[in-house]
Amino acid sequence: MDDMTDPGREHELSEDSSMGPGDAGEDEAQTEPLGTDVEEEQADHIRLLRQRGLPEYVMAKGVEAGAMGFGSGDAATTMYKTTYIGTQTIDPVDGPVLDEDLDRLHDLYIEPPSHTALVNHLKRHGVAVLRGAPGSGRHTTALLAARKAGRHGVVILDAEAGVRRLVKEDWGLQPSRGHIIVGDGRAWANELAQVLIRLRDATYGRSPLVIVVDDQVPVRDLMDHVVEHTVEDDLRFKVLERHLTVQLDDHPEGCRKLLEHERLRDDLRGRRAMTEVAGLATQLARRVRDGEDTDQIVQSLGAEMRVKAANLLGPPQKQAGEGTRKPEVSLWSRAFLLSCAVLDGTTLSRVSRESHRLAELLHGVRSPSSVPEMPLFEESVQDWLHRSDVEFTDRDGHPVGPRHPECRVRISQPGLGEAIMEVLWHDHSGARGPLLRWLDSLVIGSEEDIRVLASQTVGLLATFDWAYVHEELLVPWASDKSEQAGRRHFAAAWALERAVVDPLLASRVRRLLWRWSQRREFHACAQTAYGTRIGAMFPDEALNNLERIASGTRSVWPAVREIYSAGSRPQVLKRLADWSASSRHWLRDDAVKCLQRLSRFGGERAITNFFKEPEPRDALLQLTRNVLLSSSRLHRERGWNTMRQWVERADDQPELEGLVADFVAELPEPGDHGDGLRERFLFYLRLWRYQRRDDKAAARIGSFVSERWSM
């Protein structure tokens, strides 16, 4: 997997700019084997490992109804792009928010003090900068304030295009509508003072605009425009109460019991973002409808998990009526518990092995057995198991005993492992350094599942203390130049993938990757990070920065492949079409590599699925045409190998035959280049038919396109 960073770029096999489009040789399209190679199988394997360790809501395609729009850092943008624009690829992308969605938000909304201040500011000045912490509900406040000030609906503006375009007459704001633009993670958020002077007159009284920024953006020179978004201490409970009341209107008694439970308030103290509160309400409402007991529901929440984790990590408690304390829990036992929390789902032998190494680091000695108070045979693995809350399963999840040859250790309750890490980090600060050194040793090991788990644990720790983890691990990993640099780059990327789902960290991660994309020593890690869920969450931003990272010595196609695989396929095809026509040879190289590599995907990821969708199909036509007509021999070889894959797939999937034929028929344009492309394609069809004697699809496709081209 280490070679996925692609530190070097393949050199062209040969360049023959004098070769015309019809001068094909029989060996030109046979240089690279077809099919899925080991590297791509490994990429799929790593992707699955990462997905298992990400929170479930990250993997969901949409936002749950109860949580939509409540301060997830990009809730407004996500709501719009997920619900309204589908597969559009035009840039910039602006569009209205549906009135029924705004009505639903209004039903769930609790007005913070900044709401009235924002509405009044918009009515007086027309444009406002709403500044507040990510996850605090800024986007919901901005949406509903803009609706009240705009009178005729709300338009969400494309954040990628920025605010400078708004001062141009051809990209002006829509009269009588409120407008929202999100500056989180955007470079233009630090340049607002220069633009706002020109925006004020254009928007005053007719097209109110709210610019949402996080609380890290400096307010110097912006004071006349800034409205600070503030959150009262009890707002989280009020939001929870409103959501539960709306969602459980048919279960008023269950709603009342939940809201009166004291432990529920305790749990809210650990919820830092409004989107978490809204998601909690949806989860609670579902469990009430399923008939679960209120006490049982509350006991599985984060507050209860933290109490349980504190008991597991803390000293033994005396039982009622006992005069003496129970024996001390040893350092080995605690190390085993921590190893279970990090390596959840791995084999018992791995967990116990790594717990020894962690105990050494925690104690600060080479071997615990060399310390008198930690004799080697005083405790056994069974003793550690009795002091840990774990269960055992086989590879398929079926319960087994601890002596089963493939026994896997799993934390008994969902969320307990994260609670153990949280309690350790905040309550046992002396363990932080040894824990990070242990995690660093895990991410350079050979077992891929352990590397992923350790990296994602670092991402979790970053949500507890971003500055500390960023300084101690993320930056050293991302800039590492040792022989383990490749694995540490991946570790930093996977950690950021876990951290970016935290509403308070999303903008920080995005700014960090933007800075890394400007600095050569961080390019490898930034590229890898954009090839994770981060790139899928922010595809335009990722592709822009990957274009910046790409150079004559670094290829970014592995990251682009991952963004495509995660679901941002139309955006990727549009960008690759642009790259294929670029004057920069390295962008053309990556466009060609991506076309061939993406064509290997099957199922819902198959690039041939876009033969039926107009806009992605146009981008794919442009990309394919540019590759096949390239002046580079290697580019053309890759292009014809791709065409061969499509034809062979049509032989296995008859429903593709007509689509491939139609696509091929539209490839040639009028002129000599088009005539040469027709001749070359018919030549290759004959060659492929000869090589695959049963290839009836190639014959039928050839007959169809010949008929079309003769008309």
Side-chain angles (χ1 to χ4, degrees):
M1 188 66 184
D2 294 341
D3 58 355
M4 282 185 65
T5 53
D6 200 4
R9 180 181 290 277
E10 298 176 35
H11 294 290
E12 299 258 327
L13 296 179
S14 63
E15 288 290 341
D16 187 5
S17 57
S18 63
M19 176 179 281
D23 299 327
E26 290 192 5
D27 61 338
E28 182 175 340
Q30 309 303 319
T31 61
E32 187 167 339
L34 299 177
T36 302
D37 58 23
V38 174
E39 181 185 346
E40 290 178 352
E41 290 179 355
Q42 195 173 23
D44 288 341
H45 174 63
I46 290 288
R47 190 184 306 113
L48 290 174
L49 290 176
R50 293 191 345 255
Q51 289 174 354
R52 290 175 194 162
L54 293 176
E56 291 183 8
Y57 58 84
V58 182
M59 309 312 301
K61 292 184 178 179
V63 183
E64 289 198 50
M68 184 176 287
F70 275 82
S72 64
D74 282 274
T77 305
T78 301
M79 178 172 67
Y80 167 57
K81 291 200 172 187
T82 300
T83 308
Y84 306 118
I85 66 171
T87 59
Q88 276 197 18
T89 56
I90 58 174
D91 186 26
V93 179
D94 301 334
V97 182
L98 299 179
D99 286 338
E100 50 263 39
D101 287 320
L102 291 172
D103 290 340
R104 182 159 53 85
L105 279 180
H106 185 270
D107 291 340
L108 297 169
Y109 186 53
I110 300 292
E111 290 188 7
S114 53
H115 176 85
T116 301
L118 180 59
V119 172
N120 292 337
H121 190 95
L122 288 174
K123 289 181 176 179
R124 289 196 306 269
H125 303 293
V127 60
V129 177
L130 184 63
R131 183 174 180 267
S136 61
R138 301 167 300 159
H139 298 85
T140 304
T141 296
L143 280 167
L144 296 179
R147 183 193 202 188
K148 192 167 185 178
R151 300 188 303 279
H152 294 295
V154 178
V155 175
I156 295 181
L157 304 176
D158 181 51
E160 182 69 24
V163 292
R164 288 189 177 277
R165 71 180 179 92
L166 299 179
V167 302
K168 300 178 182 178
E169 191 172 325
D170 55 340
W171 283 111
L173 303 176
Q174 300 181 28
S176 301
R177 289 181 179 267
H179 299 78
I180 306 292
I181 188 167
V182 181
D184 287 358
R186 307 291 180 177
W188 56 258
N190 296 313
E191 305 171 355
L192 285 176
Q194 307 168 22
V195 183
L196 287 179
I197 297 174
R198 302 174 65 186
L199 281 178
R200 186 176 183 275
D201 292 336
T203 60
Y204 180 72
R206 63 185 182 88
S207 302
L209 169 68
V210 182
I211 304 171
V212 180
V213 299
D214 65 46
D215 55 356
Q216 301 297 310
V217 172
V219 296
R220 186 179 57 189
D221 302 327
L222 289 175
M223 293 306 297
D224 293 339
H225 302 285
V226 171
V227 175
E228 296 287 353
H229 180 65
T230 57
V231 177
E232 298 171 331
D233 291 340
D234 62 344
L235 183 63
R236 286 177 177 80
F237 186 79
K238 291 180 179 178
V239 169
L240 179 68
E241 182 180 34
R242 176 65 63 85
H243 275 252
L244 286 175
T245 302
V246 171
Q247 295 185 53
L248 290 175
D249 58 343
D250 53 342
H251 291 75
E253 185 63 17
C255 179
R256 182 189 63 79
K257 287 183 178 180
L258 274 177
L259 294 173
E260 291 178 354
H261 208 294
E262 191 60 32
R263 286 286 189 173
L264 190 57
R265 289 183 179 270
D266 292 338
D267 185 76
L268 283 180
R269 297 188 183 102
R271 310 270 175 173
R272 300 184 296 168
M274 293 300 170
T275 186
E276 293 181 83
V277 177
L280 173 64
T282 301
Q283 173 192 347
L284 294 174
R286 182 170 58 246
R287 296 180 68 175
V288 168
R289 291 196 192 91
D290 290 343
E292 291 189 48
D293 178 71
T294 302
D295 289 332
Q296 180 183 358
I297 294 173
V298 174
Q299 284 173 4
S300 65
L301 298 180
E304 291 287 339
M305 290 294 103
R306 286 188 289 273
V307 171
K308 192 168 188 177
N311 290 335
L312 288 170
L313 286 169
Q317 300 298 313
K318 289 191 297 184
Q319 299 293 330
E322 292 185 359
T324 59
R325 292 167 58 90
K326 291 183 178 180
E328 286 287 340
V329 179
S330 73
L331 183 60
W332 281 7
S333 181
R334 289 188 175 91
F336 181 81
L337 174 66
L338 296 174
S339 185
C340 289
V342 173
L343 305 179
D344 187 28
T346 60
T347 61
L348 179 57
S349 59
R350 282 179 174 180
V351 172
S352 58
R353 178 191 69 191
E354 296 301 337
S355 70
H356 279 271
R357 298 178 56 254
L358 177 57
E360 294 174 9
L361 292 168
L362 288 169
H363 203 283
V365 296
R366 177 66 178 171
S367 172
S369 60
S370 66
V371 183
E373 60 269 27
M374 297 179 65
L376 181 60
F377 293 105
E378 183 174 291
E379 297 178 2
S380 68
V381 174
Q382 291 297 326
D383 295 320
W384 302 343
L385 292 172
H386 292 154
R387 297 165 189 161
S388 305
D389 200 338
V390 297
E391 56 189 24
F392 310 109
T393 68
D394 60 14
R395 187 183 300 272
D396 299 321
H398 302 128
V400 296
R403 294 186 179 276
H404 189 277
E406 290 190 357
C407 170
R408 294 174 180 268
V409 183
R410 300 186 186 276
I411 296 293
S412 61
Q413 291 179 272
L416 180 57
E418 293 190 3
I420 290 172
M421 288 291 107
E422 183 178 354
V423 170
L424 176 81
W425 190 264
H426 293 301
D427 295 353
H428 304 279
S429 58
R432 293 176 183 174
L435 177 67
L436 294 188
R437 289 195 295 274
W438 179 63
L439 291 169
D440 177 65
S441 69
L442 293 181
V443 302
I444 60 175
S446 58
E447 297 98 335
E448 292 168 338
D449 53 347
I450 287 183
R451 290 167 51 201
V452 170
L453 289 169
S455 303
Q456 292 183 336
T457 299
V458 172
L460 174 66
L461 297 178
T463 68
F464 305 149
D465 193 338
W466 168 261
Y468 188 101
V469 176
H470 170 262
E471 180 181 349
E472 293 294 321
L473 278 189
L474 294 179
V475 171
W477 280 355
S479 57
D480 186 42
K481 296 182 180 179
S482 71
E483 61 181 9
Q484 300 295 343
R487 290 183 176 178
R488 285 197 170 101
H489 294 164
F490 276 107
W494 298 338
L496 291 174
E497 181 182 31
R498 174 61 182 84
V500 78
V501 304
D502 185 285
L504 277 67
L505 292 187
S507 60
R508 293 187 183 184
V509 171
R510 293 167 68 186
R511 279 199 302 269
L512 178 69
L513 289 177
W514 179 83
R515 290 196 300 270
W516 285 0
S517 68
Q518 316 296 315
R519 300 175 58 181
R520 183 172 294 274
E521 66 268 31
F522 291 101
H523 276 180
C525 186
Q527 172 194 334
T528 305
Y530 282 129
T532 67
R533 181 65 51 172
I534 299 172
M537 293 169 68
F538 314 107
D540 292 330
E541 182 179 317
L543 291 168
N544 282 345
N545 288 329
L546 286 171
E547 185 172 329
R548 186 176 292 110
I549 291 170
S551 67
T553 59
R554 176 167 299 283
S555 174
V556 297
W557 72 262
V560 175
R561 176 190 60 193
E562 292 301 301
I563 296 173
Y564 176 94
S565 179
S568 303
R569 291 157 201 155
Q571 295 96 318
V572 167
L573 289 179
K574 175 65 168 61
R575 189 61 58 99
L576 292 179
D578 295 339
W579 287 3
S580 69
S582 173
S583 60
R584 301 172 181 173
H585 69 84
W586 52 87
L587 291 179
R588 298 197 303 273
D589 290 346
D590 274 340
V592 173
K593 291 176 183 176
C594 286
L595 174 63
Q596 186 176 33
R597 299 292 180 138
L598 299 184
S599 293
R600 295 177 177 176
F601 285 129
E604 65 175 9
R605 295 183 295 175
I607 206 169
T608 50
N609 292 337
F610 292 106
F611 289 165
K612 297 177 285 187
E613 300 185 27
E615 290 185 13
R617 186 177 188 273
D618 289 343
L620 185 57
L621 269 172
Q622 179 186 346
L623 170 61
T624 308
R625 186 182 294 122
N626 290 342
V627 170
L628 295 178
L629 293 177
S630 172
S631 60
S632 162
R633 179 185 177 92
L634 179 59
H635 289 181
R636 297 194 300 272
E637 289 172 351
R638 292 180 181 272
W640 288 113
N641 275 326
T642 300
M643 298 296 290
R644 179 183 179 182
Q645 284 181 284
W646 295 351
V647 171
E648 291 181 359
R649 186 171 294 176
D651 195 41
D652 297 329
Q653 303 174 30
E655 67 276 9
L656 277 180
E657 191 175 291
L659 296 172
V660 172
D662 281 334
F663 185 87
V664 170
E666 291 185 38
L667 273 174
E669 292 183 321
D672 293 339
H673 288 299
D675 292 340
L677 198 57
R678 294 183 184 92
E679 294 176 13
R680 184 176 290 188
F681 182 75
L682 293 175
F683 163 77
Y684 279 127
L685 276 179
R686 292 192 297 271
L687 176 63
W688 298 334
R689 287 174 56 192
Y690 173 78
Q691 293 173 334
R692 287 170 53 102
R693 301 185 186 281
D694 297 333
D695 198 344
K696 298 178 181 178
R700 287 191 289 266
I701 291 173
S703 174
F704 177 85
V705 297
S706 296
E707 182 180 348
R708 282 278 301 271
W709 290 339
S710 64
M711 294 174 62

